[in-house]
Amino acid sequence: KNEVEQSPQNLTAQEGEFITINCSYSVGISALHWLQQHPGGGIVSLFMLSSGKKKHGRLIATINIQEKHSSLHITASHPRDSAVYICAVRRGSEKLVFGKGTKLTVNP
Amino acid sequence: DSGVTQTPKHLITATGQRVTLRCSPRSGDLSVYWYQQSLDQGLQFLIQYYNGEERAKGNILERFSAQQFPDLHSELNLSSLELGDSALYFCASSVMAGDYGYTFGSGTRLTVV
């Protein structure tokens, strides 16, 4: 079993829909990151969380440390949100452990 | 432009060869991280340098080595290349060691033929 599990693996939505991507991890962590990887390959860091909730524009990330679970929400989704979203956890060392990613496709 | 510069963007080389990937961190960032992304393994942490010193090591093969120079740029050397080394190699930087968030470069796509 991977230390970091994401669901779903693939997600197709219509423009305007509310989207949720989930991340569960099996060990204690010091922080959790959400990353976005564009079709061209580049990676952008979206959020770093150690507790609670963060919001940036239409993106919201939450984490529940007790349940070892995080969610990434996208409100009013748009085709430009189409990308792979990757959850990664840091376990006290410098090492990040990554989930396999969720491929999101938003159709117009 | 994220501020992290990786060169080259694409590299095609033969098995058994050696290549060097270069990363210039964002201005002011002292820490550099290298990651490998392959189709079957996903993203994996390779190694981290902070202000010229190795800070942490991940799943880095003995055929691979890295260093960070006084001007803070970093190089990842891959030798005795195998077909399975074909992957995207990302560099990321952060202000300090520890969890301060990361800025990623656009990656180097290595194809070993």
Side-chain angles (χ1 to χ4, degrees):
Chain A
K1 190 179 191 302
N2 293 328
E3 289 183 45
V4 181
E5 295 279 355
Q6 287 187 237
S7 63
Q9 280 188 299
N10 293 283
L11 183 54
T12 300
Q14 289 300 123
E15 184 172 355
E17 286 185 2
F18 180 84
I19 287 161
T20 296
I21 299 170
N22 296 299
C23 175
S24 296
Y25 50 93
S26 57
V27 295
I29 66 170
S30 57
L32 182 143
H33 295 255
W34 281 103
L35 310 172
Q36 179 193 53
Q37 185 167 26
H38 299 117
I43 295 176
V44 174
S45 180
L46 298 175
F47 294 104
M48 179 178 69
L49 294 160
S50 55
S51 65
K53 177 179 174 178
K54 287 191 176 180
K55 184 175 189 290
H56 185 252
R58 295 179 296 104
L59 301 178
I60 303 165
T62 63
I63 188 168
N64 185 318
I65 297 294
Q66 287 73 31
E67 294 187 4
K68 296 186 171 59
H69 181 269
S70 175
S71 293
L72 177 68
H73 305 286
I74 305 175
T75 61
S77 60
H78 189 276
R80 65 174 174 266
D81 297 326
S82 297
V84 175
Y85 292 84
I86 301 168
C87 171
V89 301
R90 181 169 172 266
R91 295 174 50 200
S93 69
E94 308 301 334
K95 178 183 173 180
L96 279 182
V97 179
F98 298 87
K100 299 286 188 191
T102 294
K103 184 177 180 182
L104 172 66
T105 303
V106 182
N107 294 316
Chain B
D1 181 9
S2 68
V4 177
T5 304
Q6 285 189 251
T7 56
K9 291 196 185 311
H10 302 276
L11 198 48
I12 302 174
T13 191
T15 53
Q17 294 298 305
R18 172 189 167 96
V19 296
T20 297
L21 313 184
R22 183 187 168 104
C23 170
S24 294
R26 193 180 60 161
S27 178
D29 287 357
L30 299 177
S31 206
V32 171
Y33 307 78
W34 286 98
Y35 300 95
Q36 179 193 56
Q37 186 178 37
S38 59
L39 281 175
D40 54 342
Q41 297 284 340
L43 269 165
Q44 293 194 90
F45 167 72
L46 294 178
I47 197 164
Q48 183 215 354
Y49 281 84
Y50 174 70
N51 204 20
E53 294 191 4
E54 182 183 304
R55 179 81 177 216
K57 225 170 191 177
N59 302 321
I60 188 165
L61 299 172
E62 284 191 14
R63 300 183 286 108
F64 296 1
S65 64
Q67 55 184 325
Q68 187 179 27
F69 294 87
D71 67 351
L72 300 176
H73 92 271
S74 178
E75 293 181 355
L76 179 67
N77 301 296
L78 315 176
S79 61
S80 303
L81 285 167
E82 301 175 0
L83 296 177
D85 297 327
S86 296
L88 262 171
Y89 291 84
F90 286 99
C91 165
S93 70
S94 67
V95 173
M96 296 176 66
D99 212 10
Y100 291 87
Y102 307 90
T103 303
F104 285 81
S106 57
T108 294
R109 185 174 295 277
L110 173 66
T111 303
V112 182
V113 297

